[in-house]
């Protein structure tokens, strides 16, 4: 399957955006002082674990989608260079 240049760039941008957003979210989650992420004893709560799992999943999906976009751009470049 051949991806267009615009679709490849979109997928790559989505992957980068996903990493940017979720890194920021994990930092905020880790530094949470509201009592949602950590209980009074400093132990992680269910809220923390669920959102950490969401972040890890998003990192993996963002990486996969970004790699597909990057591979699409590289394939277009190889076709153009021939």
């Amino acid at each position: 399957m051949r991806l267009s240049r615009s679709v490849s760039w979109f997928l790559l941008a989505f992957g980068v955006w996903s990493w940017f957003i979720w890194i920021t979210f994990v930092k905020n989650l880790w530094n949470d002082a509201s009592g949602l992420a950590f209980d009074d004893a400093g132990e992680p709560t269910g809220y923390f674990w669920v959102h950490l799992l969401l972040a890890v999943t998003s990192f993996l999906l963002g990486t996969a989608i970004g790699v597909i976009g990057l591979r699409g751009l590289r394939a277009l470049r190889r076709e153009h260079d021939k």
Side-chain angles (χ1 to χ4, degrees):
M1 181 170 136
R2 183 177 182 270
L3 298 175
S4 69
R5 185 173 308 282
S6 59
V7 169
S8 295
W9 275 111
F10 175 79
L11 294 175
L12 182 59
F14 179 88
V16 170
W17 176 255
S18 180
W19 269 85
F20 175 74
I21 290 299
W22 285 100
I23 285 174
T24 303
F25 181 83
V26 169
K27 284 180 184 177
N28 291 337
L29 182 66
W30 190 261
N31 295 323
D32 178 58
S34 71
L36 287 173
F38 298 97
D39 62 17
D40 294 333
E43 295 296 318
T45 63
Y47 177 90
F48 175 85
W49 292 114
V50 166
H51 286 83
L52 185 62
L53 179 62
L54 287 171
V56 169
T57 302
S58 294
F59 287 140
L60 294 173
L61 291 173
T63 299
I65 290 168
V67 166
I68 291 168
L70 184 61
R71 291 176 79 184
L73 289 172
R74 286 183 177 170
L76 288 169
R77 186 177 209 186
R78 281 192 303 270
E79 283 181 13
H80 183 267
D81 288 346
K82 286 183 179 180

